[in-house]
Amino acid sequence: MAERANIDPAGLWPSRGFPMHQGVVEPDGRRVHVTGQVAWDETGQVLHHGDAHRQTHAAFDNIAKVLAAAGGNLDDIVSMTTYLVRREDWSAISTARAERLSDATGPASTAVMVSGLADPELLVELQVVAVIPEARFKTQTESG
């Protein structure tokens, strides 16, 4: 069984203080593509107006729920795209990311600045790909 491997060759820029790697070799398992997650609660209401740090945590909470339903967790993320609306929020978003992801399993990453998201009150959206080991993977029917 192939294990996850991180690729960080010499001569490239550093991680800049949050968990990520220049490349991630996907381990064996089930690949799960998660819809971009934002700071919406279960009724679709925006949480934490104006607070990018707390909105990032809320997006991670939603990602964790999706992954848990398939038997996974945040350490299974191999790739992440971060969409942010305001450049000045990058530090807060990066801090929240460092609080939720480990250095050892930080994903390959991209950040994109956008003019807006689905709701004008949203400041950040996270889209991830995770690989859940077969031994933990469960279908929606199995997870409830």
Side-chain angles (χ1 to χ4, degrees):
M1 181 159 118
E3 295 295 319
R4 175 195 171 108
N6 299 321
I7 302 170
D8 292 301
L12 290 177
W13 48 272
S15 69
R16 299 183 187 253
F18 60 85
M20 61 84 53
H21 295 280
Q22 298 293 337
V24 174
V25 178
E26 191 174 286
D28 289 339
R30 294 291 194 88
R31 186 177 313 133
V32 178
H33 296 261
V34 179
T35 293
Q37 294 296 317
V38 295
W40 277 335
D41 68 12
E42 63 276 1
T43 68
Q45 298 301 306
V46 174
L47 300 168
H48 317 301
H49 294 269
D51 187 333
H53 181 260
R54 291 178 66 202
Q55 283 196 9
T56 303
H57 275 289
F60 272 116
D61 290 344
N62 289 340
I63 291 166
K65 288 175 188 173
V66 173
L67 295 179
N73 59 58
L74 295 178
D75 286 337
D76 296 321
I77 297 171
V78 297
S79 179
M80 174 182 285
T81 302
T82 302
Y83 300 93
L84 67 147
V85 176
R86 304 182 311 203
R87 185 176 311 278
E88 62 268 21
D89 290 333
W90 180 242
S91 178
I93 293 166
S94 296
T95 298
R97 177 188 170 121
E99 292 165 353
R100 296 303 289 268
L101 301 176
S102 74
D103 287 331
T105 59
S109 300
T110 298
V112 181
M113 196 160 166
V114 296
S115 61
L117 296 169
D119 184 304
E121 295 296 322
L122 293 170
L123 302 174
V124 62
E125 182 167 341
L126 305 176
Q127 183 181 20
V128 304
V129 176
V131 178
I132 300 171
E134 289 288 345
R136 283 194 278 121
F137 182 78
K138 58 187 176 183
T139 63
Q140 183 70 38
T141 304
E142 295 168 327
S143 65

